[in-house]
Amino acid sequence: MAKSDGNGLRVVGRAQRKVDATPKVTGETLFADDLSFPQMVYCKTLRSPHAHARIIRIDTSRAEKEAGVLGVLTGTDLPIPFGILPVSQDEHALALDTVRFIGDPVAAVAAVSEEIAGEAIHLIDVEYEQLREITSVEDALANPEPRIHDYGDSGNLHKLISLEFGTVADGFDAAHLVREDLFFYEGSTHLPIEQHAAVAMYSADHRLTLWSSTQTPHYVHIALEKVLEMPASRIRVIACPNGGGFGGKSDPFSHEIVVSKLAMMTGRPVKATLTREEVFYCHRGRHPTHMWVRTGVTKDGHITAMHFRTALDGGGYGSYGVASTYYTGALQTVTYQVDRYKFEGARAFTNKPPCGPKRGHGTPQPRFALEVQMDKIAEQLKLDPADMRLKHLVPADSLTANYLRVGSMGLAECINKVVTGSNWKERFRRLPHGRGVGIACSSYISGAGLPIYWNNMPHSGVQLQCDRSGGVTVFCGSTDIGQGSDSVLAYIVAEVLGVDPFEIRVVTADTDLTPVDLGSYSSRVTLMSGNAALQAAERARELIAPEVAKQLDVPTSRLVFAESRVFDGENPETGTTFAEAVQAAEAAVGTIGTVGSYTPPASAGRYRGSGVGPSPAYSYSAAVVEVHVEPDSGIVRVPKVWIAHDIGQCINPTTVMGQVEGSVYMGLGEALMEEMAYRANRRVVHKCPSMLEYKSPTTLEMCEVETYLVTDPDPNGPFGAKEVGQGPLLPIMPAVANAVYDAVGVRVDEVPITPEKVLTALKRKANGKEGGGRYGPTHFPEIPWPDPTRVPPPWEGGDGKAIRPSDEDAKAAAVAQPERQH
């Protein structure tokens, strides 16, 4: 029988633990009368079969009567919206009145088994009124109504951006060569081996605990506080070690909120494990992106001006989409010098699973376009593409046109490493037909300069406890998603205190026990959590050293912490164990516990949109890819990749190598086969939401990788370290495309570079058709761009602020009539 808990929620068997201590369902005993260990119950979600529809009516009565069902939820039970960005709070845990893609959550059931829950959701009757489906960026432009959301910059356009740094028209006038190109980058998904899962438990003292495979426990905590209207202090989120994330677990998700609410309703632990198909519907993967690039260069390849346009298919919700759109234009300036730069970006809402941050967040798409175009420019100028790149790198310790502050810059050495290792000079344009090599470079951030929710608090915190036994415990809110961040914390603390890393216990990703860290995204953990750990460890050393110095009668400046001892550097026999050192310090000053935190330096840009792109440090990568192309089939094989990565300083070389080679693997998938494909006859129905049909490389497709680690310590990183989790992915896709051209003389200006596309380009070339030898987009969507925000670059006297129209008029008048200045 269904009951109400006073808030309109349908609870079967019992509404709350206090209402019925021994709930039963007719004909079946759910569990024994001993409730000291309440049994787990399971949640399943009913999802929309329609891409765009209004919910007219939901009838849950048949599901509520099903034996073994304990609770049923619909959108009206969780009416408060949420989202990862403050500007895009557009999701509901269960659709309130409108569904926006096939797979949108509509209702949820908690039952004593997954089978019963799975059967019960199909007993829920939903009446829909179907609405027009928006299938693409061009469809969104042509059909501003019906709006998928009632917010956004225009109709079904979520975001429109226009920024100009210097007058690009002047830069094009000064160029020897101006080239325009069109590119398309297909969407893809993260494909972690572990699906999304969550378990929630609501205790008798009204505290909620959620265990989830999330990358961002801090932001999940914020979403639960908002949607459940609970005090934050009564919510605990524990991020379990992830079986892969790659950005796909960076949002707060519906199932995390739903299991939490069901646990509160039933008094039982509630578990949800998404099927692989449901993971495809959660998505948040790579945005399909159209790109138009116009670049002007001098005779030696120096970029005088660049105008870059992107159009992103965002899917049904905002997610990180505003940031994603900015990122498609932010980092073009941090590899090669660009005198003047204009960026226009648009993101459209469509009725597909929502896109978001996949490894490299918003930067692989434009990096593909830029690096392929650089190769085309080098060919037109009759320059070696590696030499042209080397000649025009952004200098270290400089500001770019869009006010990104570059610190250390090891890209030159990266290029030299892969050029030498691959024997580039002897192989480029000299291999037999069907074999080729291609080069590409890239850069990525080591953490974002601003938090998602802007505030002045640290981005990462660490608490350190030194035990009398000599053990050390590190508490940090960071999440290990397979990248080895827990080990980084241990190694940094061990290095400072001179103890064996195995003596370090690391406690992470628990909002009750650990200080806040914003999450595992934007390659931020090594630099930001690492700096916080470094500060905490140095403070602990400062507490311990004076007492040891007194005992040993030596100056503190001579003390060395190493090999689990503290000793006199000039007389190593004079010393004590680390455990004894901690005991001496504790006897003198009390328990040895310290804290550390990290806040990035202020950004140089002060214009609207300048919050996306700044970072404490930028990593750099260069790659040469060798391909074998079968001209008769178009099949592309990659036998070897040479890749160099500017890591700043290795904390753990083994895990660094693993991250680089994992990036190569993922890059090959995006370059050659991966795509979030939809059916041709209904472009909102997912074509293959399974690992059987979604093509991803296996060990058989993985190539030999020769990895070079370039150390160029950055002053902002702990011991000089920079990121490695995402940057090495970026050059792989364009290097493959450039290698295919070297091998068979055709350009595939989009990814994935499938056999069908290569074969089509080869046939066009053979038939002498217009545009022959190329496969790719032929036009860019017609977008009503707003007037640009104009920001003079640093070398034109800019201060990082936008110029108002009145300021521009005054400057123009001053230039036209300079005598008025006297």
Side-chain angles (χ1 to χ4, degrees):
M1 177 180 176
K3 304 177 183 178
S4 171
D5 72 345
N7 294 313
L9 305 180
R10 288 158 302 286
V11 186
V12 180
R14 64 172 165 183
Q16 297 286 355
R17 183 174 298 180
K18 63 183 180 181
V19 175
D20 184 354
T22 56
K24 299 183 188 296
V25 171
T26 303
E28 181 179 1
T29 300
L30 297 185
F31 57 89
D33 291 337
D34 179 7
L35 296 180
S36 57
F37 298 102
Q39 293 180 357
M40 184 85 71
V41 297
Y42 299 89
C43 171
K44 284 292 184 181
T45 302
L46 177 68
R47 297 179 180 272
S48 170
H50 304 295
H52 198 196
R54 190 172 291 113
I55 297 173
I56 303 301
R57 179 183 61 87
I58 300 181
D59 183 357
T60 63
S61 59
R62 290 197 300 150
E64 292 167 6
K65 296 173 184 176
E66 182 75 359
V69 170
L70 298 184
V72 181
L73 284 177
T74 64
T76 56
D77 302 320
L78 293 163
I80 298 173
F82 69 96
I84 185 63
L85 299 185
V87 296
S88 300
Q89 300 282 301
D90 59 2
E91 299 186 55
H92 288 89
L94 299 167
L96 193 60
D97 49 25
T98 304
V99 292
R100 295 175 171 88
F101 66 94
I102 292 173
D104 213 352
V106 174
V109 169
V112 296
S113 72
E114 282 192 285
E115 292 76 13
I116 293 174
E119 292 169 2
I121 60 171
H122 297 296
L123 298 176
I124 298 173
D125 298 313
V126 186
E127 181 183 344
Y128 297 96
E129 177 192 346
Q130 292 195 54
L131 302 172
R132 180 188 176 87
E133 298 166 350
I134 305 298
T135 62
S136 65
V137 173
E138 291 186 323
D139 199 9
L141 287 162
N143 297 283
E145 298 288 342
R147 297 187 73 179
I148 294 175
H149 289 282
D150 60 4
Y151 79 100
D153 285 355
S154 174
N156 281 311
L157 291 180
H158 179 199
K159 189 64 183 175
L160 287 169
I161 300 165
S162 184
L163 299 167
E164 186 170 13
F165 304 91
T167 304
V168 292
D170 294 344
F172 289 127
D173 289 343
H176 168 72
L177 169 69
V178 177
R179 182 177 180 93
E180 289 184 15
D181 285 289
L182 291 166
F183 300 94
F184 176 67
Y185 200 107
E186 183 59 273
S188 58
T189 199
H190 314 83
L191 212 69
I193 295 299
E194 178 202 44
Q195 301 120 275
H196 298 252
V199 175
M201 186 169 70
Y202 191 65
S203 63
D205 59 352
H206 307 295
R207 292 181 180 274
L208 174 69
T209 302
L210 176 74
W211 293 264
S212 182
S213 57
T214 178
Q215 296 177 229
T216 54
H218 174 64
Y219 292 119
V220 173
H221 192 265
I222 289 174
L224 291 173
E225 175 192 8
K226 180 186 180 185
V227 177
L228 301 179
E229 298 182 285
M230 282 185 68
S233 60
R234 291 187 170 273
I235 300 172
R236 180 182 186 185
V237 178
I238 300 171
C240 306
N242 283 200
F246 314 113
K249 299 172 182 174
S250 297
D251 287 68
F253 282 100
S254 162
H255 64 276
E256 295 168 320
I257 298 169
V258 166
V259 295
S260 298
K261 187 64 177 179
L262 287 169
M264 295 170 67
M265 290 168 55
T266 63
R268 301 277 203 94
V270 181
K271 180 178 182 179
T273 302
L274 303 193
T275 65
R276 180 61 59 179
E277 182 175 350
E278 289 178 305
V279 174
F280 274 89
Y281 295 146
C282 283
H283 193 37
R284 317 301 160 121
R286 190 85 71 217
H287 285 76
T289 304
H290 291 269
M291 291 165 284
W292 172 89
V293 192
R294 187 171 194 241
T295 302
V297 296
T298 60
K299 290 182 179 180
D300 67 351
H302 175 77
I303 300 172
T304 60
M306 181 182 291
H307 186 178
F308 209 104
R309 286 175 172 165
T310 63
L312 289 71
D313 183 335
Y317 290 97
S319 184
Y320 284 83
V322 172
S324 307
T325 309
Y326 275 108
Y327 269 123
T328 61
L331 300 189
Q332 279 84 314
T333 60
V334 297
T335 43
Y336 317 115
Q337 296 182 65
V338 179
D339 291 345
R340 300 167 185 86
Y341 179 58
K342 185 174 184 179
F343 169 61
E344 291 172 312
R347 183 182 193 262
F349 285 125
T350 61
N351 293 119
K352 301 174 187 174
C355 298
K358 186 186 175 187
R359 198 173 194 170
H361 189 192
T363 64
Q365 302 98 314
R367 181 56 55 181
F368 173 79
L370 175 57
E371 293 296 319
V372 173
Q373 190 184 62
M374 291 292 287
D375 248 45
K376 295 180 179 183
I377 288 171
E379 184 175 43
Q380 281 190 262
L381 296 176
K382 296 181 171 56
L383 299 173
D384 182 292
D387 291 342
M388 189 183 79
R389 286 170 166 87
L390 265 173
K391 191 171 183 178
H392 301 294
L393 300 180
V394 169
D397 303 313
S398 64
L399 272 180
T400 67
N402 55 339
Y403 289 85
L404 303 182
R405 185 177 285 111
V406 174
S408 64
M409 209 284 191
L411 183 53
E413 188 175 351
C414 289
I415 295 173
N416 288 329
K417 290 282 189 185
V418 297
V419 165
T420 302
S422 65
N423 206 15
W424 170 267
K425 297 292 186 181
E426 285 69 41
R427 305 179 79 202
F428 178 63
R429 296 289 191 264
R430 298 183 181 183
L431 293 174
H433 186 70
R435 296 179 58 195
V437 289
I439 192 170
C441 302
S442 69
S443 178
Y444 197 63
I445 60 176
S446 298
L450 289 172
I452 290 173
Y453 288 79
W454 288 13
N455 58 64
N456 295 321
M457 291 182 282
H459 292 211
S460 187
V462 162
Q463 293 173 332
L464 202 66
Q465 172 190 303
C466 293
D467 188 79
R468 298 175 188 179
S469 66
V472 179
T473 305
V474 182
F475 298 89
C476 182
S478 61
T479 306
D480 199 315
I481 58 172
Q483 84 280 39
S485 62
D486 284 4
S487 69
V488 167
L489 297 174
Y491 295 139
I492 288 174
V493 172
E495 182 74 17
V496 174
L497 297 181
V499 300
D500 189 316
F502 289 100
E503 297 299 323
I504 308 290
R505 181 183 296 275
V506 180
V507 178
T508 55
D510 185 326
T511 60
D512 262 14
L513 300 183
T514 60
V516 168
D517 177 82
L518 299 183
S520 288
Y521 63 93
S522 297
S523 278
R524 54 177 302 285
V525 177
T526 292
L527 190 140
M528 297 194 180
S529 297
N531 270 322
L534 180 63
Q535 185 182 73
E538 289 175 339
R539 287 173 173 174
R541 189 174 60 185
E542 290 167 4
L543 288 176
I544 295 168
E547 302 311 315
V548 177
K550 289 177 187 177
Q551 281 191 356
L552 302 182
D553 195 23
V554 298
T556 56
S557 59
R558 279 171 37 190
L559 289 180
V560 175
F561 286 67
E563 298 178 350
S564 297
R565 296 179 65 236
V566 184
F567 55 87
D568 182 357
E570 295 183 4
N571 183 17
E573 292 77 18
T574 302
T576 184
T577 67
F578 180 75
E580 291 168 342
V582 172
Q583 292 166 18
E586 187 172 342
V589 301
T591 301
I592 306 301
T594 60
V595 298
S597 59
Y598 180 75
T599 302
S603 304
R606 289 181 285 176
Y607 55 90
R608 183 177 178 85
S610 64
V612 175
S615 178
Y618 296 90
S619 72
Y620 291 90
S621 304
V624 169
V625 171
E626 179 183 351
V627 300
H628 294 176
V629 182
E630 295 180 7
D632 294 337
S633 66
I635 292 173
V636 179
R637 291 185 172 89
V638 178
K640 188 165 184 178
V641 169
W642 295 262
I643 185 165
H645 183 69
D646 167 22
I647 184 62
Q649 176 63 54
C650 281
I651 301 295
N652 180 346
T654 301
T655 57
V656 168
M657 297 277 278
Q659 287 294 298
V660 173
E661 292 170 10
S663 292
V664 171
Y665 165 80
M666 186 170 278
L668 291 176
E670 293 197 23
L672 297 175
M673 62 189 75
E674 293 193 33
E675 55 183 328
M676 191 78 166
Y678 296 84
R679 296 180 185 176
N681 59 337
R682 266 197 80 199
R683 292 185 293 162
V684 292
V685 180
H686 203 294
K687 187 177 180 180
C688 48
S690 76
M691 291 183 74
L692 179 65
E693 296 297 332
Y694 183 91
K695 302 305 180 187
S696 183
T698 68
T699 54
L700 296 177
E701 286 81 39
M702 184 57 182
C703 64
E704 181 185 353
V705 181
E706 192 160 332
T707 303
Y708 307 92
L709 301 181
V710 172
T711 54
D712 182 16
D714 193 285
N716 284 331
F719 300 108
K722 300 195 286 190
E723 78 87 32
V724 67
Q726 303 187 61
L729 165 78
L730 305 182
I732 301 303
M733 294 75 73
V736 170
N738 292 334
V740 168
Y741 179 72
D742 186 44
V744 291
V746 298
R747 287 285 182 188
V748 180
D749 287 340
E750 64 177 62
V751 295
I753 302 168
T754 60
E756 296 84 355
K757 296 173 185 176
V758 174
L759 201 57
T760 299
L762 286 168
K763 289 178 178 178
R764 288 175 179 172
K765 181 181 180 182
N767 295 334
K769 291 186 177 180
E770 183 179 354
R774 177 184 180 271
Y775 186 101
T778 57
H779 69 282
F780 186 84
E782 291 290 331
I783 295 173
W785 301 110
D787 291 335
T789 297
R790 302 183 191 277
V791 185
W795 42 88
E796 292 182 7
D799 59 1
K801 294 180 180 178
I803 292 180
R804 296 169 299 178
S806 57
D807 295 335
E808 289 182 303
D809 294 342
K811 282 201 171 188
V815 170
Q817 302 182 51
E819 67 277 8
R820 291 187 179 183
Q821 300 296 314
H822 302 285

